[in-house]
Amino acid sequence: MTQQKVLAEGIGTAFLLISVIGSGIMAETLAQGNVALALLANAIATGCMLYALITTLGPISGAHFNPAVTLAFALRGDHAWKDVPAYVIVQIIGGILGVWACHWMFDQSILQTSTTVHRTGVSQWFSEIVATFGLLFVIFGGLRNKPEAIPTLVALYITGAYWFTSSTSFANPAVTIARGFSDTFAGIYPGHIAMFIVMQLIAVAIGHVVLGALFAKE
């Protein structure tokens, strides 16, 4: 594994969180209490950033920006297990740094802890299984049938999943952890992070079995 790959994963995850947190702050400020409009802006900005990041950094690191995706690729045999810890660590660190950069840009306290307490419960936990499984579905389906479309597939999926999942589709342990450090529109109460991550990892296990059969290599 090269330093270039690790750097790409760190920068990519940082910019992903900048898009999530920054657009959430901007949207909440400008929407004047219209939560639906704020969520729409948040979703579109995140989808746009994902398309840009995957297109530019995919050829370097694979553009995972997500420990669940890294683990799923390792289970498939497409990513070396020895490289998993470095990817996961840099994704988490990059995500937190992205959150802090956002706070600085918007003249907020850099160090925060989220007080958003509505992201919990069985329905939202199940939602994270669906959201993460769906993300892996479009990634591996894209790899199997149309690799060049993956940036578009992932961007469109996440933009839509903000709306059709009750959890607004975190689908990413690094993003989940980082969002606990922001008491803004996109935050999650730290006490609720663990169950989201457990559900995301359950989705990886389900995806390994189901998607392995569905998109089996010929």
Side-chain angles (χ1 to χ4, degrees), residues 19-42:
S19 71
V20 172
I21 300 297
S23 64
I25 295 171
M26 182 69 80
E28 189 173 42
T29 301
L30 299 179
Q32 299 182 341
N34 188 328
V35 178
L37 182 60
L39 183 62
L40 179 62
N42 196 202

Side-chain angles (χ1 to χ4, degrees), residues 70-155:
T70 299
L71 180 58
F73 272 110
L75 287 169
R76 277 169 50 100
D78 293 338
H79 188 80
W81 280 103
K82 65 181 179 60
D83 295 337
V84 169
Y87 262 51
V88 171
I89 290 169
V90 78
Q91 288 159 358
I92 293 171
I93 292 173
I96 294 172
L97 291 177
V99 168
W100 290 345
C102 239
H103 293 163
W104 195 357
M105 283 196 295
F106 285 92
D107 195 26
Q108 296 196 1
S109 298
I110 294 176
L111 300 180
Q112 301 180 20
T113 301
S114 178
T115 57
T116 304
V117 296
H118 65 268
R119 303 188 194 276
T120 188
V122 175
S123 295
Q124 291 211 36
W125 298 338
F126 177 67
S127 177
E128 276 302 291
I129 294 178
V130 174
T132 309
F133 179 87
L135 175 61
L136 297 176
F137 171 80
V138 299
I139 291 172
F140 294 132
L143 283 173
R144 177 67 174 78
N145 299 307
K146 198 171 184 180
E148 67 276 13
I150 288 178
T152 303
L153 290 171
V154 173

